[in-house]
Amino acid sequence: QTKTFMCQKNTSISELPVLAQPTPTPPTTLPPAELPPSEPIKLFIAGDRSQVGKSSVCLGLLGTLLRLGYQPHELAYIKPATQCEATQVIQLYCQHVGIACQPIGPIVYHKGFTRKFLEGHTETSQQLLQNAKLAVEEISRDKRVVVIDGVGYPAVGSICGTDN
């Protein structure tokens, strides 16, 4: 059995097999001294350029965590900064299995963003970073693991002080 997810242009971009669920094994937990119970593990996924599979790695991590016995309500996915506002497979997957998801965070590097930033027509670097931090903190509440998806090239946002 497979589920086909479609991108915004109705072009099939991935077929994700629905695998038989193995017997879940309880995830290992860190001793309380190493990780406060209210603080989730945060995994930041970055790459050296766009289209290298960062979101695919995030998707694989979330699927693996579910197969290891984590419950959907214990997991979250966020992309705090992006260049692309189109629906991604990972968003559809999170919605399908019930994982908290914010696929488009508070920072969107639309065409002309850097010029507007340099002209003072956007929020300041500190405001942009604070908005991203607050978005990550909000989606992290009551979660055990949060997967944070980086944006494009490492230099994206560097002039604004908001790069990976």
Side-chain angles (χ1 to χ4, degrees), residues 60-79:
L61 284 169
L62 291 169
T64 299
L65 289 166
L66 288 173
R67 294 181 77 198
L68 288 173
Y70 285 86
Q71 298 302 306
H73 71 272
E74 297 176 309
L75 306 173
Y77 166 84
I78 184 170
K79 189 168 183 80

Side-chain angles (χ1 to χ4, degrees), residues 25-85:
T25 55
T28 57
T29 57
L30 296 174
E34 293 182 40
L35 187 66
S38 61
E39 186 65 26
I41 296 169
K42 294 176 183 160
L43 303 172
F44 185 84
I45 310 304
D48 64 343
R49 61 187 178 278
S50 288
Q51 303 298 313
V52 294
K54 293 179 296 294
S55 295
S56 295
V57 168
C58 292
L59 180 63
L61 284 169
L62 291 169
T64 299
L65 289 166
L66 288 173
R67 294 181 77 198
L68 288 173
Y70 285 86
Q71 298 302 306
H73 71 272
E74 297 176 309
L75 306 173
Y77 166 84
I78 184 170
K79 189 168 183 80
T82 189
Q83 294 175 284
C84 176
E85 296 181 85

Side-chain angles (χ1 to χ4, degrees), residues 50 82-83 109 151-159 162-164:
S50 288
T82 189
Q83 294 175 284
Y109 300 107
V151 63
Y153 292 85
V156 171
S158 61
I159 291 175
T162 58
D163 53 314
N164 285 328

